[in-house]
């Protein structure tokens, strides 16, 4: 199982880079394991990563333990640790420095409900976490606080983070939120975008509850 997770982690990280969500060596990806989580290593080009480069971090009562002999973990490993601790439902995390999310985050604004797809992020807007220096416990705490029970948030003057029940879901949400940020930025060039009211977002959630294909009975 661990080898399959390593393979999936590296595949997801490479896809994140190919989508332009993490320029250079920015951003990071992790996936929960039975004993903790796997996270991408620090400062390595995504197209050079191999499954053995994934860093295993164990979570126990004594905190987080990185076994010797591994790559140095992402500088944001504390962010991943604290999110997994605070959110037992999260099975994967994608953190990006994508262009439009970072642009809006530099304004320290949330992404309002300018499009109904915002509900996929788990709330009526995509919130923006307070600023703190990258790689610190203060940043991890700010993100946990801003997320609440949501699935994605911006990080002031930094980027964004998305949670998912799979690596694919976390990456898809990161891409969706980047699209929302792009729509918000472009619409704001022409004026103040109209924001959908809370009651409409409630109707949207109900619509999505019945969205997609149903499994057909056999026979």
């Amino acid at each position: 199982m661990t080898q399959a997770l390593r393979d999936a982690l590296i595949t997801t990280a490479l896809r994140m880079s190919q989508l332009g969500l993490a320029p250079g060596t920015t951003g990071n990806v992790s996936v929960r394991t039975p004993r903790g989580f796997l996270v991408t290593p620090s400062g390595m080009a995504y197209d050079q990563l191999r499954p053995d480069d994934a860093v295993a971090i164990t979570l126990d009562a004594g905190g987080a333990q990185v076994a010797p002999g591994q790559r140095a973990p992402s500088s944001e490993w504390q962010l991943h640790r604290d999110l997994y601790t605070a959110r037992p439902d999260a099975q994967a995390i994608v953190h990006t420095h994508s262009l439009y999310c970072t642009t809006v985050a530099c304004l320290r604004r949330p992404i309002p409900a300018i499009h109904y797809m915002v509900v996929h992020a788990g709330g009526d807007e995509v919130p923006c976490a307070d600023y703190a220096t990258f790689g610190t416990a203060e940043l991890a705490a700010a993100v946990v606080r801003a997320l609440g029970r949501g699935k994605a948030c911006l990080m002031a003057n930094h980027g964004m983070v998305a949670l998912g029940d799979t690596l694919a879901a976390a990456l898809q949400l990161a891409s969706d939120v980047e699209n929302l940020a792009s729509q918000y930025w472009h619409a704001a060039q022409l004026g103040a975008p109209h924001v959908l009211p809370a009651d409409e977002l409630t109707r949207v959630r109900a619509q999505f509850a019945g969205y997609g294909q149903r499994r057909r009975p056999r026979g």
Side-chain angles (χ1 to χ4, degrees):
M1 175 185 242
T2 301
Q3 187 59 47
L5 287 176
R6 285 178 176 274
D7 293 344
L9 178 77
I10 299 307
T11 297
T12 302
L14 180 58
R15 183 58 179 155
M16 175 182 69
S17 176
Q18 292 170 338
L19 289 170
L21 299 177
T25 61
T26 64
N28 33 76
V29 181
S30 71
V31 62
R32 193 188 289 273
T33 66
R35 298 189 61 197
F37 62 96
L38 293 170
V39 67
T40 46
S42 178
M44 293 184 67
Y46 289 107
D47 62 358
Q48 295 179 7
L49 291 181
R50 300 295 178 266
D52 286 348
D53 294 320
V55 182
I57 298 181
T58 301
L59 297 177
D60 54 35
Q65 305 294 328
V66 181
Q70 300 188 92
R71 299 283 191 184
S74 166
S75 59
E76 297 294 2
W77 69 267
Q78 292 185 88
L79 171 65
H80 294 260
R81 177 199 64 190
D82 288 4
L83 283 171
Y84 284 124
T85 300
R87 295 291 299 273
D89 58 312
Q91 299 300 311
I93 298 168
V94 170
H95 164 50
T96 81
H97 291 191
S98 49
L99 176 60
Y100 289 102
C101 280
T102 304
T103 299
V104 177
C106 287
L107 298 173
R108 302 193 179 186
R109 296 179 185 174
I111 303 173
I114 49 91
H115 192 285
Y116 61 80
M117 289 290 286
V118 75
V119 301
H120 284 320
D124 289 357
E125 65 177 17
V126 180
C128 184
D130 293 337
Y131 179 78
T133 305
F134 80 93
T136 62
E138 291 78 13
L139 177 60
V143 171
V144 169
R145 186 167 56 247
L147 265 177
R149 301 307 303 169
K151 296 181 179 179
C153 76
L154 304 183
M155 303 160 67
N157 302 90
H158 187 149
M160 67 83 62
V161 65
L163 313 183
D165 54 7
T166 64
L167 282 161
L171 181 60
Q172 183 61 60
L173 181 57
S175 180
D176 289 345
V177 173
E178 172 66 2
N179 193 46
L180 284 168
S182 174
Q183 292 166 346
Y184 180 40
W185 186 89
H186 280 90
Q189 306 312 300
L190 301 177
H194 290 280
V195 176
L196 297 172
D199 61 341
E200 173 57 17
L201 296 179
T202 297
R203 287 190 287 270
V204 167
R205 290 187 182 93
Q207 285 286 86
F208 273 128
Y211 181 79
Q213 299 296 313
R214 301 289 190 280
R215 184 184 295 274
R216 294 182 179 180
R218 296 189 178 187

